[in-house]
Amino acid sequence: MAGRLILRRPSPTTVSFTVSNASRQTSTPAKILYYLQVLLRALVFVCVVFFNIARLRHSLFNQDGFLVRWNTIWSSPLGSLVSRSVDSYSSWVVVLVSAIIIYGVFRKGYTEESLLVIRGLGIQTSTSSLTYLSKASTRFIPTTQIQDIVIHEAFKGFEVRFYLAIIVDGEPEVVVVFPKLLPNRAILEEVWRGSRHCLYDSKS
């Protein structure tokens, strides 16, 4: 999915450019589908946890607790079915499959990359993480280290792609903005003009 640009201006001296390939939840069917996906992820997560608890029922979950009656659960039709199913596989298979499913549950289905420009301070780039459990990778570049903000072109396979880059003083390589999504030239030009105007005021 092609990335789209989201522009925010929290103050006259601050501007934020975010490129995202996440689907928009503007229509009612899209919102319903989104909440169904959230519900499905939660249900799958609960099922995985329950299967792993069933695997450990003989050592950790074999006594009735204050809130949970484990013996009643394991003797129920559903508990018996889950127990027989999980006992038919070795522990490492259960752990491996559970880890893969948990990763899928918490994996983001989209990428967001942003450029935050603060006049007089500098620029912060950010790329979202693959899962909801980890933080985005960010980098802050002070204004005193920024030599220029440019648009370059390069080959990606047999295709010519444009990218926005920050030339940093003392570094041999440029800092590529939006490195994963690599938005189209129209978006890059809008970000380039807006970031230079905010960073250098009317001098750009």
Side-chain angles (χ1 to χ4, degrees), residues 82-120:
V82 172
S83 299
R84 289 195 303 270
S85 299
V86 76
D87 288 343
S88 62
Y89 299 97
S90 61
S91 298
W92 71 269
V93 172
V94 175
V95 171
L96 179 61
V97 173
S98 298
I100 294 174
I101 295 176
I102 292 297
Y103 174 78
V105 167
F106 288 100
R107 186 180 185 278
K108 294 179 179 178
Y110 61 91
T111 300
E112 282 189 355
E113 297 182 299
S114 63
L115 177 69
L116 177 65
V117 184
I118 306 175
R119 185 183 305 162

Side-chain angles (χ1 to χ4, degrees), residues 58-92:
H58 296 300
S59 56
L60 298 178
F61 302 97
N62 56 350
Q63 299 293 330
D64 289 341
F66 179 72
L67 297 176
V68 181
R69 302 295 181 181
W70 292 114
N71 289 327
T72 303
I73 292 176
W74 305 135
S75 60
S76 66
L78 178 60
S80 300
L81 177 62
V82 172
S83 299
R84 289 195 303 270
S85 299
V86 76
D87 288 343
S88 62
Y89 299 97
S90 61
S91 298
W92 71 269

Side-chain angles (χ1 to χ4, degrees), residues 42 64 69 75 84 94 114 122 128-129 131 145 169 189 194-195 200:
D64 289 341
R69 302 295 181 181
S75 60
R84 289 195 303 270
V94 175
S114 63
S128 63
S129 59
T131 69
Q145 296 182 10
D169 186 26
E189 289 179 349
S195 59
Y200 304 115

Side-chain angles (χ1 to χ4, degrees), residues 34-50 101-102 104-107 132:
Y34 170 76
Y35 288 115
L36 285 177
Q37 290 177 347
V38 173
L39 182 61
L40 179 61
R41 286 173 182 254
L43 181 61
V44 171
F45 176 76
V46 171
C47 290
V48 171
V49 172
F50 185 65
I101 295 176
I102 292 297
V105 167
F106 288 100
R107 186 180 185 278
Y132 294 102

Side-chain angles (χ1 to χ4, degrees), residues 8 10 14-17 114-118 122-126 140:
R8 299 184 180 92
T14 304
V15 60
S16 172
F17 305 94
S114 63
L115 177 69
L116 177 65
V117 184
I118 306 175
I123 287 177
Q124 177 176 286
T125 62
S126 176
F140 182 77

